[in-house]
Amino acid sequence: MTPASAADPKRWWALAVIALAQLMVILDGTIVNIALPSAQRALGMPDADRQWVITAYTLAFGGLLLLGGRIADLVGRKRAFVIGLAGFAVASALGGAAAGPGTLFAARALQGAFAAVLAPSALSLLTTTFTDPRERAKAFGVYGALAGGGSGAGLLVGGLLTEYLNWRWCLYVNVPVALAALIGAQVFLRDRSGRRGGHLDVPGVLLGSGGLVALVYGFSEAGPRGWTSPWVAAPLMAGVLLLAAFVRWQHRAAGPLLPLRIFRDRSRAGAFATMGLATIGMFGVFLFLTYYFQAVLGYPPVRTGLAFMPVSVGIVIGATQIAARLLPRTAPHTLMASGMVLAAAGMVLLSRLTVHAQYVPHVLPGLLLVGLGMGLTFMPVYATATVGVPTQDTGAASAALTTVQQIGASLGTVLLNTIATGATGRHSRAHGPADSGTALAEAMVHGFSVAYWCSAGVLLFAALVAALTVRRGKPSQAGSKPSA
């Protein structure tokens, strides 16, 4: 045990507080999905506007993460953590009490903005609290399990709250959770104050946040509008140009929003790339299986949420019981590559589903393999991407990793949905008009199958990237010369 760890006897309680806050942020990415039809009816929301309940959150969260990470470095991680929690609670209460669509959209955007402050401060607090390799592995095992499994748990919680209470509780539930975490933060979290003399890189904020918002918006609009729509092409082009200008500016800025020295180490850069590819390949599971369970197999909301639980369970087991035990004596690239291969095998099993499939023999094995594979991958990715980063840059590094995850999720959802929709249309045209419900279901399942094969390919590519780029040793201190 290192002196740093020994000096903080409350570190495991601190982990519980950080984990609770992280779970709340991850849950809110999906908890509203199942409640959306009820909210739409209650607020008289037009079909064309309902996507903004989801998009407002993802736009603010993904677009402001780099800013949130730098705020944590400047004002202090604990202070940023508390600000994020308090703001998230207020925004959740505002959304739960919404009397019209506009208020709900604004509340979801506020949730995303405060989540962008909360998430990187939580990860950087974890990085600085646990320095002993074995304790660090356990802590990141818990964090990786929540980061990967929280989305599936959100679908279950959303289904339960919607079916047995009402849709507003999908937002109200955050208030007591945030208050509990706030109390725990004051009692158990320890952190230094922010950087003296530091300043915010305003041009970097405008370029980086603007580019990320444009990219996330373009990806979110590609599904309903199509890739050729000017509402898609223009934001994507603007996002690429703004991010290119952002990178150029970061080379010149005295106090950059995202210090590029973080990415000079090959292992750290490989961990970032693996995370992005893993989330691109993974997020099709939640989208397609939601439709498969409800539209094809006829599951109600709660049963749909329960059906996703093996993914979350697999991630928890893979991260906390396998990866956390193996990482102190196993090369991280071995765990990452093995996890991606395992998840790809699960995708192949899911590609064999039919309209007459049964849950236990046909769906469950694939979900378990995907969950175990993601757990094996996420845990060493989080540990590798944040170790060796100077203390003054941990917030920025944590924000960058979460940004990669958000962009990967947005891109993966849109790309895989486009692939699935195209395959469904081709199947329908090749087999004649789909006049019956069975024919429509068969075409839909065929589209899902093609998308799962594409997901498997992306995950295998992620395995290759991890194997070739992530070294056995610890990443070098950011800004120093990488080790051989």
Side-chain angles (χ1 to χ4, degrees), residues 83-422:
I83 291 170
L85 278 174
F88 201 92
V90 172
S92 298
L94 178 65
T103 305
L104 181 58
F105 300 155
R108 290 287 287 167
L110 273 177
Q111 279 186 311
F114 283 108
V117 177
L118 179 59
S121 61
L123 181 54
S124 55
L125 278 168
L126 193 69
T127 301
T128 55
T129 300
F130 292 92
T131 55
D132 177 77
R134 292 189 178 276
E135 290 190 349
R136 184 183 179 89
K138 292 178 183 177
F140 275 95
V142 173
Y143 190 90
L146 292 176
S151 296
L155 294 171
L156 173 59
V157 174
L160 289 170
L161 292 174
T162 302
E163 190 159 325
Y164 295 110
L165 293 172
N166 62 57
W167 67 271
R168 295 182 185 276
W169 278 97
C170 291
L171 295 161
Y172 283 143
V173 70
N174 294 318
V175 177
V177 174
L179 289 176
L182 275 170
I183 295 171
Q186 298 299 332
V187 176
F188 300 118
L189 293 185
R190 301 286 181 268
D191 186 39
R192 304 172 189 169
S193 59
R195 291 170 55 188
R196 292 182 180 179
H199 67 278
L200 194 60
D201 174 20
V202 176
V205 170
L206 297 176
L207 292 171
S209 298
L212 290 172
V213 167
L215 276 186
V216 174
Y217 177 79
F219 290 147
S220 67
E221 291 294 299
R225 296 181 185 271
W227 291 99
T228 58
S229 168
W231 291 96
V232 176
L236 290 179
M237 186 178 299
V240 170
L241 292 175
L242 286 170
L243 289 179
F246 170 75
V247 171
R248 182 165 182 166
W249 171 254
Q250 296 306 284
H251 280 291
R252 301 166 46 198
L257 183 68
L258 178 63
L260 298 181
R261 58 182 175 267
I262 291 171
F263 303 101
R264 289 175 186 164
D265 180 86
R266 193 181 78 185
S267 291
R268 188 176 295 112
F272 274 86
T274 302
M275 172 61 84
L277 291 168
T279 50
I280 287 173
M282 173 186 176
F283 267 77
V285 172
F286 297 112
L287 176 67
F288 302 140
L289 283 180
T290 298
Y291 282 101
Y292 180 75
F293 289 141
Q294 297 193 43
V296 178
L297 300 185
Y299 286 8
V302 173
R303 190 176 179 185
T304 298
L306 286 170
F308 277 107
M309 288 311 295
V311 177
S312 300
V313 171
I315 290 174
V316 170
I317 294 173
T320 63
Q321 301 304 311
I322 302 176
R325 296 174 186 269
L326 293 178
L327 185 61
R329 57 181 184 273
T330 305
H333 71 264
T334 301
L335 294 175
M336 295 179 200
S338 300
M340 289 291 88
V341 170
L342 204 61
M347 292 292 183
V348 172
L349 289 181
L350 292 175
S351 72
R352 301 170 62 86
L353 294 178
T354 68
V355 295
H356 304 296
Q358 295 180 331
Y359 182 80
V360 173
H362 303 124
V363 183
L364 182 59
L367 293 182
L368 287 173
L369 285 178
V370 169
L372 286 170
M374 290 299 171
L376 276 174
T377 302
F378 282 151
M379 185 268 162
V381 162
Y382 277 112
T384 303
T386 54
V387 70
V389 177
T391 302
Q392 69 270 19
D393 293 333
T394 55
S398 302
L401 184 60
T402 309
T403 299
V404 168
Q405 191 174 7
Q406 283 295 115
I407 295 297
S410 298
L411 178 58
T413 299
V414 172
L415 285 178
L416 293 173
N417 186 52
T418 301
I419 291 169
T421 302

